[in-house]
C-alpha cells in the first residue's frame, strides 16, 4: 500500500507517507484518509500532528502507552541503561499485531514479516490481560 516514516524535523517528530506505485496503479486503490490523497507525492503530517489519523488510530490509547513506557523502563533497567523516550512510531509498532485496532497491518520493510511484538516489550494480548490486571 505504501511506506510511512517518522523523521524528526527541527527537533519535532512528524510523519511522512508515500503510496506504493503498485497501489496507485491498482483499480482498487483508495485514500487511507482525506489528507492522504492517492498520488506519487509524499505526504507530511504537518505542524499540528505527529501521525496521520488513519495510521495513528492503530496505536494504543493512553493506557496502552503507559504499559509500553513501563515495559521500556523494565527493559532499560535490565540492560543497565537510561529508558528511551518513546515516540509515536514506537507506540504504533509496540502493539501486538493480533490486538492492534484498525484494518492496517505493519511491517518494517516491504515484504517483511508483520510487526507483532510478543512478550514483555509489547502490550499483552487479551488472554493475558486479566492476570496483568491482578498484578497491578
Amino acid at each position: 500500500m505504501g511506506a510511512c516514516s517518522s523523521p524528526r524535523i527541527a527537533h519535532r517528530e512528524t510523519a511522512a507517507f508515500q503510496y506504493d506505485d503498485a497501489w496507485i496503479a491498482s483499480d482498487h486503490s483508495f485514500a487511507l484518509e482525506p489528507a492522504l490523497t492517492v498520488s506519487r507525492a509524499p505526504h507530511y503530517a504537518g505542524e499540528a500532528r505527529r501521525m496521520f489519523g488513519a495510521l495513528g488510530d492503530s496505536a494504543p490509547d493512553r493506557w496502552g502507552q503507559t504499559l509500553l513506557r513501563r515495559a521500556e523502563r523494565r527493559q532499560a533497567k535490565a540492560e543497565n541503561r537510561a529508558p528511551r523516550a518513546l515516540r509515536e512510531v514506537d507506540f504504533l509498532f509496540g502493539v501486538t499485531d493480533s490486538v492492534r485496532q484498525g484494518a492496517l497491518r505493519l511491517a518494517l520493510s516491504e515484504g517483511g514479516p508483520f510487526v507483532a511484538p510478543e512478550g514483555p516489550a509489547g502490550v499483552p494480548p487479551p488472554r493475558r490481560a486479566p492476570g496483568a490486571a491482578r498484578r497491578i
Side-chain angles (χ1 to χ4, degrees):
M1 174 177 275
C4 182
S5 61
S6 182
R8 285 191 180 269
I9 299 174
H11 304 290
R12 190 181 67 78
E13 179 182 3
T14 188
F17 181 83
Q18 189 165 13
Y19 287 104
D20 182 78
D21 286 338
W23 181 258
I24 294 168
S26 170
D27 292 336
H28 303 289
S29 68
F30 56 88
L32 285 175
E33 66 175 69
L36 294 172
T37 56
V38 179
S39 72
R40 285 189 168 75
H43 300 278
Y44 297 93
E47 300 244 350
R49 302 185 332 186
R50 291 182 298 206
M51 184 61 68
F52 296 102
L55 300 171
D57 285 349
S58 295
D61 61 9
R62 188 169 47 180
W63 175 244
Q65 290 178 13
T66 297
L67 294 177
L68 290 171
R69 284 187 188 101
R70 286 180 184 173
E72 170 58 20
R73 285 194 301 270
R74 279 193 309 273
Q75 186 71 27
K77 185 176 182 180
E79 295 173 1
N80 198 27
R81 61 170 173 82
R84 296 179 303 123
L86 298 180
R87 299 171 43 193
E88 194 71 24
V89 71
D90 296 316
F91 295 128
L92 185 63
F93 284 113
V95 178
T96 302
D97 195 54
S98 60
V99 298
R100 182 178 292 113
Q101 298 297 307
L104 299 177
R105 298 191 77 192
L106 309 171
L108 293 175
S109 62
E110 186 175 342
F114 293 116
V115 175
E118 293 281 353
V123 173
R127 66 185 179 274
R128 291 185 30 217
R134 285 191 294 275
R135 290 191 299 270
I136 295 177

